[in-house]
Amino acid sequence: MASTPAIRTQLTQLLGLKTPLIQPPMAFASGGVLAAEVSLAGGFGFIGSGFDTPEKLRRDIETARTVLKVEPGSPLPIGVGFIGWILDKSEATSKELLALLVEYRVKAIWLSFGVNLSPWIQFVRELNQQSGGPPILIFVQVCSLQEALTAINEWKVDVVNVQGIEAGGHGASYGLPLLTLLPLVLANTPPNGPLIIGGGGLADGSQVAALLTLGASGAVLGTRFLLSQESLCSEAQRKVLIEADSSQSVRTVAFDQAGGWPFPKGIDGRAIRNATVDDYEKGIDISVLRKNFEEASAKGDTDRAVVWAGTGVGLMKQVLPAKEIVRELHEECLSRLRNASNLEIKE
Ligand SMILES: Cc1cc2nc3c(=O)[nH]c(=O)nc-3n(C[C@H](O)[C@H](O)[C@H](O)COP(=O)(O)O)c2cc1C
C-alpha cells in the first residue's frame, strides 16, 4: 500500500493506521499471525482470546510480536479481545490474562458479551495507572443504543464498535441493522465522546466507504478475514464460506445449545445453516443434538459443526493473504470516496 494515499479518520490518528480497517477478535479464528498481518498492512488486528489459557495467549502474542518484528519491551500494534462472561468465570485467571497486555505493551483491548463489563474496564484502567506507559485503549462492542449509551457516558471507553444484526459470530438477537443502529449511536455521541466504528455484514470497500460517509471512524470486518490465508479456519470451513450465499447466514442459538456455551440472555450467533440448526428447529432432543455436534466438531465435519458467518458471506469468493484483503478494501474504499465526491452538482 506504499504508493496508495492513506485514509485519515480519528481512529487512524489514534492508532497510527494507514487505513481505518479493523479485524475484530474472533475466538478460535484470529490468532497472532492474522492480527499481526492486518496491522502490518496498515489496519489493526485483534487476537480473539476466547477460552484461551494465559499460556496459550502468551504464545499467540509472542507469535504476533515475531511477525511484527517488534523488540521485547516495545509497543505492540495489535489488540486482544476478551468475552465478558468468560472473564467472569475465574477472576484470578482473567487477571493473569489481562496482565499480559501490560507485559507485552499491547495497544488495545476489546471487550464484549458480558453481563457487566464495568469491573473489567476498571481493572484495565488500574493496570494502565500502574504501568505508567501509554494506556491500553479500551474498545467495547455494543449491539443496541442502550448498550452504547452505557459505554459512552458511564464507562467513557475509547472506542465503541457498533455491531449490526448482520454480523457473523455472536451478537444480539435484539440487534438492529447496522445502517439503523450506527446513525442512532452517532447522533447520541457527544463531540468529545468515544470514537465510533461499526461492522456487521461488510464484505467490500464500497461498504467501508459508506460507513465513513455516515460518520464512523472505522469499519470492522470479521467474516472477510476468515477467508484470509492466516485465519485459523479449516479448509472445510473455508469451502463452506466460499460456496455459501448470503441467505444461508442465519441467527440462531442452536450452536450455543449444542456446544453448551452459556452466553448471556439475548445473545445468539450468526452462522451458516446446517443440520445442527435444522435439528434444533425441529426440536430434536438436546442430548442427541449435543452428541452429534460434539462428534462432528471433533471430526471437523461442517454438515453439523459451526461455521460462523455474517450476511456479507455471499459476496466473498476468494481466499487471499490478509495483506491483500486490506489492500483491496482500502483501494476500493478510496475509489468509492472519490466517486462520491464527484456527485456534487455545480449549476
Ligand atoms: C468466527 C467469528 C468469531 C468471533 N468471535 C468473537 C469474539 O471472540 N469476540 C467478539 O467480541 N466478537 C467476535 N465475533 C464478532 C466480531 O467481533 C464482529 O462483530 C463480526 O465479525 C462483524 O461481522 P462480520 O463477520 O459480518 O464482518 C466473531 C465473529 C466471527 C465471524
Side-chain angles (χ1 to χ4, degrees):
M1 232 163 66
S3 58
T4 315
I7 298 174
R8 192 173 64 222
T9 69
Q10 284 180 295
L11 181 80
T12 63
Q13 290 176 296
L14 179 71
L15 292 169
L17 314 179
K18 296 196 187 100
T19 188
L21 294 170
I22 302 286
Q23 168 258 301
M26 293 183 282
F28 303 111
S30 66
V33 180
L34 176 57
E37 288 292 343
V38 171
S39 292
L40 274 177
F44 193 81
F46 281 85
I47 293 172
S49 118
F51 295 89
D52 283 357
T53 59
E55 296 70 36
K56 162 79 170 58
L57 181 58
R58 181 183 289 281
R59 283 199 299 278
D60 248 346
I61 297 176
E62 286 190 353
T63 300
R65 190 170 69 183
T66 306
V67 175
L68 285 158
K69 298 192 176 71
V70 165
E71 292 298 318
S74 298
L76 206 54
I78 55 154
V80 180
F82 297 92
I83 292 175
W85 69 264
I86 300 178
L87 288 179
D88 291 341
K89 285 193 335 172
S90 162
E91 190 176 323
T93 307
S94 299
K95 287 188 169 173
E96 230 184 288
L97 285 163
L98 295 175
L100 291 172
L101 306 190
V102 177
E103 183 182 333
Y104 286 93
R105 302 194 62 190
V106 167
K107 211 157 182 176
I109 182 173
W110 169 303
L111 293 163
S112 46
F113 310 131
V115 178
N116 179 13
L117 296 175
S118 160
W120 297 113
I121 292 172
Q122 187 54 35
F123 182 68
V124 174
R125 292 210 164 114
E126 283 163 23
L127 286 177
N128 279 341
Q129 269 181 353
Q130 288 158 19
S131 83
I136 299 162
L137 297 168
I138 301 176
F139 286 55
V140 164
Q141 175 160 261
V142 301
C143 308
S144 70
L145 178 59
Q146 197 50 48
E147 290 170 11
L149 292 177
T150 305
I152 295 166
N153 299 321
E154 290 178 32
W155 301 338
K156 299 188 192 312
V157 300
D158 299 294
V159 180
V160 172
N161 176 45
V162 176
Q163 190 200 47
I165 198 155
E166 304 91 334
H170 283 94
S173 56
Y174 52 83
L176 287 169
L178 184 58
L179 286 194
T180 305
L181 186 55
L182 182 62
L184 271 174
V185 174
L186 285 165
N188 283 281
T189 305
N192 59 352
L195 304 187
I196 306 297
I197 61 176
L202 306 180
D204 63 32
S206 66
Q207 295 162 323
V208 175
L211 253 59
L212 297 182
T213 59
L214 279 174
S217 280
V220 173
L221 292 99
T223 305
R224 183 66 194 97
F225 284 103
L226 293 181
L227 284 170
S228 65
Q229 285 172 355
E230 296 85 352
S231 82
L232 304 177
C233 283
S234 67
E235 282 314 307
Q237 287 173 316
R238 287 174 213 270
K239 186 165 181 288
V240 169
L241 291 169
I242 293 277
E243 289 175 0
D245 71 54
S246 289
S247 67
Q248 289 167 274
S249 156
V250 293
R251 294 210 77 85
T252 178
V253 287
F255 296 106
D256 293 314
Q257 291 291 323
W261 306 317
F263 272 78
K265 196 167 174 288
I267 301 297
D268 59 11
R270 185 179 278 286
I272 302 297
R273 173 179 285 281
N274 64 13
T276 297
V277 181
D278 294 341
D279 284 351
Y280 176 75
E281 288 175 358
K282 277 184 222 148
I284 193 172
D285 185 81
I286 188 74
S287 58
V288 177
L289 190 81
R290 282 194 178 162
K291 184 169 165 291
N292 290 343
F293 179 72
E294 262 169 38
E295 283 172 8
S297 301
K299 286 191 288 194
D301 172 4
T302 54
D303 286 345
R304 286 186 186 276
V306 63
V307 183
W308 302 113
T311 55
V313 68
L315 290 162
M316 301 170 195
K317 295 294 164 214
Q318 230 186 339
V319 177
L320 289 172
K323 265 186 193 159
E324 277 300 299
I325 296 176
V326 173
R327 190 188 57 75
E328 243 184 46
L329 290 167
H330 178 80
E331 288 183 359
E332 190 172 10
C333 176
L334 263 180
S335 137
R336 294 297 175 138
L337 290 173
R338 287 180 181 136
N339 286 350
S341 68
N342 287 334
L343 292 175
E344 184 185 3
I345 299 167
K346 298 193 178 87
E347 301 282 350

